[in-house]
């Protein structure tokens, strides 16, 4: 099955059946990474460019490994050593990269809407690897895959997303994704970190962490993004940690089979304690493993074959 | 029961014919291999996989021994991914044991151009070094595009390239039959 679109820009634009297709394709791709020879020839001769305007370990490596396991050639551009430092505009960079005929550009940028703009300039596929506080679709897909794998379903589950909702593209993509698949999403954080009107996306809102944890099947902790804290949204890291950090004591109020997710990188002792992050409920490293499979599925569905509806 | 146009479809194998072919192939595999030693049955999903399971059962009845059976999905190794307008969905890959030094019998429903078999062999090679790979098919309809030949054949069926040959199995389609359809 093939996606009807050229690009993967966000979860908002996907319908439920497209999300389900990506997840089931990703489940099949997990097998490839479990082999001794972790490579299939599917995307031989395709070129993927990773264009990252923001630092990243997990996402960039994951996209690169996914492309390589599909036999595509992956090229990484880190902006600090590129012509961007000489003042080249994003549009010019994109046009020049496109002139080298890549099949896909994976882009991360601190400004929301960058991948959307880029997709208008280039004919190749564009995959959003995180744009500002807007969306991070591959992260949400790997989160959904991890939950589906552990719980066997997503429909009817209670998902609580806790932390700085305002600045979180992970939260936004996950709210879209999980609600489309029929889960109940609650967001929780200090009032200064919850954007007004977020409930219009179909989630409920609380500022009491105990409320968010009680009855939740999945607790997703978000990283406090120190680099985005331009004004002070909370008095001190210590106070934030006391009110909205997840530790063993806090976890006592949770269901027995709760699972803990975190998109990484984690701030140990700030939003999540080491005992919880390394504990039995944590699926943080499963998320990373699933990330490769999800990105392989994205490449397969965007780049494998021509863009048309399948009849099978 | 799958829908079909009665004027353009004829049944070339019914339930009993399929059953007999599977029984004969099971005997032939055992005879040529001198038993079940080192044998592994790997079907190409979807219907080839179910045929492999049926062969496994049949061999069990005859020989009282269980041969490992699994699935080898050729999708990621196909040569037409960028050419065909449709993109096949991934099926399951299930290699039950190490295939090093084993005699693999690949099982598929209809042998046609041979391209799927080529892809499946490449997939298998990524899992190890089998002693030998053999091919069992329920129907060989001719029109090969690659130098590939089946070792065990249920039925040789001369066809025109304009026709379609389909195996329907109870496990998937609710009925056991091989049909030939005229395609317009």
């Amino acid at each position: 099955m093939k996606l009807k679109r050229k690009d993967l820009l966000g979860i908002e634009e996907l319908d439920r059946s497209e999300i389900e297709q990506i997840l089931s394709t990703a489940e099949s791709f997990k097998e490839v990474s479990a082999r001794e020879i972790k490579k299939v020839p599917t995307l031989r001769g395709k070129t993927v460019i990773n264009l990252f305007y923001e630092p990243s370990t997990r996402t960039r490596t994951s996209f690169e490994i996914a492309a390589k396991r599909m036999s595509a050639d992956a090229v990484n551009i880190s902006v600090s050593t590129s012509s961007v430092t000489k003042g080249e505009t994003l549009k010019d960079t994109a046009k020049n990269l496109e002139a080298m005929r890549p099949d896909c550009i994976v882009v991360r940028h601190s400004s929301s809407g960058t991948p959307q703009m880029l997709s208008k300039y280039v004919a190749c596929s564009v995959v959003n690897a995180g744009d500002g506080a807007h969306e991070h679709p591959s992260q949400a897909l790997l989160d959904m895959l991890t939950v589906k794998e552990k719980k066997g379903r997503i429909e009817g589950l209670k998902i609580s997303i806790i932390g700085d909702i305002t600045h979180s593209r992970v939260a936004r993509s996950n709210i879209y994704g999980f609600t489309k698949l029929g889960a109940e999403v609650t967001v929780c954080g200090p009032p200064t970190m919850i954007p007004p009107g977020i409930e219009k996306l179909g989630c409920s809102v609380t500022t009491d962490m105990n409320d968010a944890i009680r009855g939740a099947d999945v607790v997703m902790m978000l990283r406090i993004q120190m680099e985005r804290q331009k004004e002070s949204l909370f008095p001190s890291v210590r106070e934030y940690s006391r009110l909205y950090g997840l530790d063993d004591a806090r976890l006592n109020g949770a269901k027995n089979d709760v699972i803990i997710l975190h998109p990484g990188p984690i701030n140990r002792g700030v939003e999540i304690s080491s005992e919880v992050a390394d504990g039995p409920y944590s699926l943080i490293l499963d998320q990373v493993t699933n990330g490769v499979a999800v990105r392989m599925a994205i490449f397969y569905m965007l780049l494998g074959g021509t863009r048309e509806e399948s009849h099978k | 029961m799958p829908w079909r146009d009665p004027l353009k479809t004829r049944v070339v194998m019914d339930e009993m014919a399929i059953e007999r072919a599977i029984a004969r192939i099971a005997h032939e595999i055992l005879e040529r291999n001198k038993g079940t030693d080192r044998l592994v049955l790997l079907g190409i999903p979807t219907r080839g996989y179910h045929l492999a399971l049926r062969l496994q059962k049949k061999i069990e009845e005859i020989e009282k021994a269980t041969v490992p059976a699994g699935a080898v999905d050729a999708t990621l190794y196909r040569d037409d991914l960028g050419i065909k307008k449709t993109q096949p969905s991934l099926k399951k890959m299930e290699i039950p044991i190490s295939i090093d030094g084993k005699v693999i019998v690949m099982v598929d429903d209809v042998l046609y151009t041979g391209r799927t078999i080529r892809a499946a062999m490449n997939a298998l090679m990524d899992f190890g070094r089998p002693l030998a790979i053999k091919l069992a098919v329920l129907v060989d309809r001719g029109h090969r595009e690659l130098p590939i030949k089946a070792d065990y054949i249920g039925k040789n069926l001369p066809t025109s390239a304009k026709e379609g040959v389909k195996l329907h199995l109870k496990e998937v389609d609710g009925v056991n039959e091989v049909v030939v359809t005229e395609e317009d």
Side-chain angles (χ1 to χ4, degrees), chain A residues 60-232:
Chain A
R60 194 186 57 70
T61 315
S62 183
F63 270 111
E64 183 179 352
I65 288 181
K68 287 182 168 167
R69 290 199 176 151
M70 305 283 288
S71 295
D73 297 298
V75 179
N76 294 309
I77 297 174
S78 70
V79 163
S80 56
T81 57
S82 73
S83 285
V84 173
T85 55
K86 299 177 192 163
E88 188 172 56
T89 65
L90 176 72
K91 187 178 173 182
D92 283 329
T93 305
K95 281 294 193 194
N96 280 277
L97 291 176
E98 155 130 272
M100 296 182 223
R101 300 255 171 277
D103 298 281
C104 182
I105 296 177
V106 178
V107 64
R108 166 171 288 190
H109 200 284
S110 57
S111 298
S112 304
T114 304
Q116 280 77 5
M117 186 184 84
L118 203 64
S119 77
K120 289 188 197 128
Y121 295 143
V122 298
C124 68
S125 292
V126 175
V127 174
N128 182 358
D131 60 329
H134 176 225
E135 280 231 44
H136 191 349
S138 62
Q139 177 69 42
L141 288 163
L142 74 87
D143 290 337
M144 288 185 268
L145 178 63
T146 309
V147 171
K148 192 179 165 214
E149 214 173 55
K150 192 70 183 177
K151 295 284 183 188
R153 67 192 165 102
I154 287 176
E155 180 103 51
L157 292 181
K158 291 194 162 123
I159 319 282
S160 290
I161 305 176
I162 301 169
D164 181 357
I165 308 297
T166 305
H167 292 102
S168 177
R169 52 198 176 206
V170 175
R172 245 164 230 88
S173 287
N174 269 310
I175 294 169
Y176 287 127
F178 278 105
T179 53
K180 279 179 187 189
L181 294 188
E184 273 176 55
V185 179
T186 302
V187 297
C188 170
T192 46
M193 292 181 156
I194 293 181
I198 187 87
E199 60 282 345
K200 284 183 192 138
L201 300 186
C203 59
S204 39
V205 177
T206 177
T207 52
D208 178 351
M209 185 159 173
N210 291 325
D211 263 359
I213 286 187
R214 202 178 308 119
D217 299 289
V218 179
V219 173
M220 184 183 298
M221 300 306 297
L222 300 173
R223 182 173 64 94
I224 282 300
Q225 306 183 44
M226 301 297 184
E227 74 274 22
R228 289 191 222 278
Q229 306 298 334
K230 288 191 186 100
E231 68 258 65
S232 56

